[in-house]
Amino acid sequence: MNSNKQKAIKTAYLSIFGNALLALIKGVTGVFGNSYALIADAIESTTDVFSSLLVLFGLKYATKPPDENHPYGHGRAEPLVTFAVVGFLVISATIIAYESIQHIRTPHQVPEKYTLIVLGAVVVLKELFYRVVSKKGKETKSTSLKADAWHHRSDAITSLMAFIGISIAIYMGKGYEAADDWAALLASGIIVYNAYLIFRPALGEIMDEHVYDDLVSQIRDIAITVDGVIDTEKCHVRKSGLSYHVDLHLIVNGGITVVQGHAIAHRLKNELILQLPEISDVLIHVEPGR
């Protein structure tokens, strides 16, 4: 688990550095290149910096060990941070949509051609960031890292829309000056949709939604290999940060002593945590078999 924590935190630092650098490049290019779509892109990257900082804070707090006031740990901080990241996405989409509409209604210059080079590079870099952060999010099972990955993907989409819009404005000529603004407006809708995709699993985590069938199957398979275990009944899994808590009903021989049943339960718990290190705790209820 410590390895997952370090991996997740390093990935969050990568996101912060990447977003800050790209926000600066896009903002400067957008201002001097007469492209509001690129400026809108820079606005989103700036909000991404703050959201990535939130992700970093959430990861550090969520991986703190349990204490007297938090016996189940601090893992629920992570989906709460994800909600904040979603808020940043919605806010940035709203700002982009509002400013795009204002620019559509106001005559302005056609963007400079070199803005396309910058945007092309940004699309490639942001998609690479998405793939790296998404992979680390899956490896560490971090909800907030997955949300941060979608932030990179939404930025790539915004940049792609801007690229298309600016291309139309430049090559179609007079009458198409606002094409990049329309592209930014369309991108804002895509960002809101991505925000929903991020929000839904985080809400499920807070509500202890059951979406861990694969993990339950692994737990049951391991259980029947432990000496003294006849079978398993109920198995409930809930996620807390980067780890999982398991409630398991275990069936043992009804004729054994309480001490023997207790020993079997402990052997099973140790085996589960050994083979599935993402599990931080297992509460086992022993049921007598026939």
Side-chain angles (χ1 to χ4, degrees), residues 6-284:
Q6 294 305 319
K7 194 183 294 184
I9 288 173
K10 284 180 182 177
T11 306
Y13 276 118
L14 174 67
S15 282
I16 292 167
F17 174 76
N19 285 326
L21 181 63
L22 288 175
L24 180 63
I25 292 170
K26 288 189 283 189
V28 171
T29 308
V31 169
F32 289 101
N34 303 317
S35 170
Y36 181 68
L38 201 45
I39 295 171
D41 219 1
I43 292 171
E44 193 200 352
S45 287
T46 303
T47 63
D48 287 353
V49 173
F50 291 105
S51 68
S52 294
L53 284 168
L54 270 176
V55 168
L56 179 62
F57 167 77
L59 285 169
K60 287 189 172 183
Y61 188 82
T63 50
K64 287 175 63 178
D67 56 35
E68 188 177 343
N69 293 326
H70 305 89
Y72 295 103
H74 302 76
R76 289 297 169 87
E78 207 201 359
L80 291 176
V81 166
T82 303
F83 293 152
V85 172
V86 169
F88 271 110
L89 271 174
V90 172
I91 290 169
S92 64
T94 303
I95 293 171
I96 290 169
Y98 175 79
E99 293 294 335
S100 296
I101 292 169
Q102 296 302 311
H103 279 73
I104 288 169
R105 297 165 60 184
T106 307
H108 57 79
Q109 291 177 287
V110 173
E112 299 290 341
K113 288 184 179 181
Y114 64 78
T115 57
L116 292 176
I117 299 171
V118 174
L119 278 167
V122 167
V123 171
V124 173
L125 284 172
K126 273 298 187 175
E127 182 61 22
L128 286 174
F129 270 112
Y130 165 76
R131 291 174 185 272
V132 170
V133 178
S134 180
K135 182 183 177 184
K136 298 300 182 184
K138 288 175 183 175
E139 288 176 1
T140 60
K141 296 178 174 60
S142 167
T143 307
S144 58
L145 268 189
K146 290 175 186 176
D148 207 31
W150 270 106
H151 239 139
H152 290 296
R153 170 59 66 83
S154 70
D155 210 1
I157 292 169
T158 308
S159 297
L160 181 60
M161 292 297 100
F163 185 92
I164 294 169
I166 291 173
S167 297
I168 292 172
I170 290 173
Y171 294 106
M172 296 298 286
K174 190 171 175 60
Y176 289 88
E177 294 89 349
D180 70 321
D181 302 314
W182 282 104
L185 185 60
L186 176 61
S188 69
I190 295 172
I191 292 168
V192 171
Y193 176 67
N194 284 336
Y196 168 75
L197 295 179
I198 296 166
F199 174 79
R200 183 63 188 83
L203 179 63
E205 187 173 327
I206 285 286
M207 298 294 291
D208 286 331
E209 182 179 8
H210 177 69
V211 290
Y212 310 113
D213 287 328
D214 290 344
L215 183 56
V216 169
S217 294
Q218 287 180 281
I219 290 168
R220 293 192 190 278
D221 289 343
I222 292 169
I224 60 174
T225 67
V226 174
D227 187 38
V229 175
I230 295 175
D231 204 353
T232 54
E233 282 189 341
K234 295 177 184 176
C235 182
H236 300 308
V237 175
R238 55 194 174 91
K239 188 170 183 287
S240 181
L242 305 183
S243 61
Y244 297 87
H245 293 268
V246 178
D247 296 323
L248 179 64
H249 283 219
L250 179 66
I251 301 175
V252 300
N253 187 330
I256 65 175
T257 66
V258 172
V259 172
Q260 289 171 316
H262 181 74
I264 293 169
H266 267 281
R267 283 202 301 271
L268 174 55
K269 178 177 179 177
N270 292 338
E271 192 64 26
L272 287 172
I273 292 175
L274 177 65
Q275 292 196 39
L276 302 170
E278 64 267 33
I279 294 176
S280 62
D281 195 21
V282 186
L283 180 62
I284 297 177

